[in-house]
Amino acid sequence: MMSLKFVFLPCRSVIEVRNGLTFLDLIVKQIEALNTKYGCTVPLLLMNSFNTHDDTAKIVEKYSNSNIEIHTFNQSQYPRMVIEDFAPLPCKGNAGKDGWNPPGHGDVFPSLMNSGKLDALLSKGKEYVFVANSDNLGAVVDLKILNHLIQNKNEYCMEVTPKTLADVKGGTLISYDGKVQLLEIAQVPDQHVNEFKSIEKFKIFNTNNLWVNLNAVKRLVEADALKMEIIPNPKEVDGIKVLQLETAAGAAIRFFDQAIGANVPRSRFLPVKASSDLLLVQSDLYTLTDDGYVIRNPARANPSNPSIELGPEFKKVASFLSRFKSIPSIIELDSLKVTGDVYFGAGITLKGNVTVNAKSGVKLEIPDGAVIANKDVNGPEDI
């Protein structure tokens, strides 16, 4: 029984995470280790949009000497729709890239087929694909999950994990018409949104780590049976209000036989979407193994990660990096909120609940070696 790993590839995949290694570097190291350990040939597939294809082709050249096959393919492109009259934007004269959009990761299934990659994989005996976002550092191949699917003939598995207050907008699994289905917040009527966000009523959410049987994908795509719900995503292009019509890969769960959700540890969901996430994974809260796995530091007593909120000055990666001589120690941190023009020196330790607020027009520098515990810092005198 052969499997492969497939990832959705956002542009942040080339950001350095730890030790000078990018998301993609870590994924390649993980699969190299897997192939070496088991003497197998698990390939890596990267799905691009028309916006990222050329850059990805250049990036993967650096892995030409690795022991894994790396394949890339493009997803479809759909015309953006003008809200005013629902005409395709390219028909309004905008025929360039801005007139089109990639239709969400739900397009992975037909794109695998249309690119020829699906038939090529099946011809090599590949049967299951593990699908994940490349910026989820917890999304690693788990052979226990794969073995369970094989033994129980599950065509589709969605990894879910317990919901926290940070995940209230995440999609969840429900039973409807005798089928397991994904319910997204965009599908919930306004009067029930608070109910949907309740961590008491809906206790799990979708990590977007998916395991899918390739023969089942071929059967369903050929039958044009994957009728996922359309998600309208409002945008604005050159002052024109438009809709991007998208689908989500998780919504396909109801079309597969013996589809299941697997409740997995939170460690399998470690996404890096913002600079606050980057601070977490670059800190001493995590360590990096030789095989490319990002592991939580057991010295952290609290099972939850600290809450981190960084101001807009830290939003861009270059700005974020310029504001830290080194990443502070946060093993004993519960929460951190930073606002204003703040810079951190080297060897800083943060503990408990910390707020750092630079007054408007004032640059606030936290000195090297500072230890700040359960404190509001509004100026040098508070350190």
Side-chain angles (χ1 to χ4, degrees), residues 258-320:
Q258 300 293 108
I260 61 170
N263 199 337
V264 299
R266 183 76 184 198
S267 58
R268 291 188 61 76
F269 184 69
L270 185 59
V272 181
K273 305 289 187 185
S275 56
S276 55
D277 301 321
L278 198 57
L279 174 57
L280 280 175
V281 299
Q282 289 188 344
S283 75
D284 56 355
L285 196 58
Y286 288 91
T287 57
L288 181 64
T289 71
D290 292 340
D291 293 342
Y293 296 98
V294 178
I295 307 296
R296 199 165 187 268
N297 190 336
R300 168 82 172 177
N302 188 335
S304 299
N305 280 345
S307 167
I308 297 179
E309 185 179 339
L310 302 177
E313 296 83 2
F314 293 78
K315 184 174 182 179
K316 293 184 177 178
V317 173
S319 300
F320 166 84

Side-chain angles (χ1 to χ4, degrees), residues 4 22 24-25 32-33 56-57 66 123 125 139 145 180 188 209 276 312 323:
L4 60 143
T22 68
L24 204 49
D25 292 336
E32 284 180 332
T56 301
S66 70
S123 71
I145 296 176
V180 178
V188 178
N209 298 347
S276 55
R323 291 177 178 275

Side-chain angles (χ1 to χ4, degrees), residues 20-68:
L21 298 173
T22 68
F23 291 96
L24 204 49
D25 292 336
L26 297 180
I27 293 168
V28 169
K29 286 175 74 71
Q30 291 164 14
I31 301 177
E32 284 180 332
L34 186 71
N35 285 343
T36 300
K37 181 175 181 179
Y38 294 100
C40 55
T41 56
V42 173
L44 172 65
L45 272 77
L46 305 172
M47 184 171 80
N48 299 290
S49 73
F50 58 90
N51 291 314
T52 61
H53 173 75
D54 292 342
D55 289 339
T56 301
K58 295 174 185 175
I59 292 165
V60 298
E61 289 177 2
K62 69 185 281 192
Y63 307 114
S64 58
N65 294 324
S66 70
N67 74 344
I68 65 171

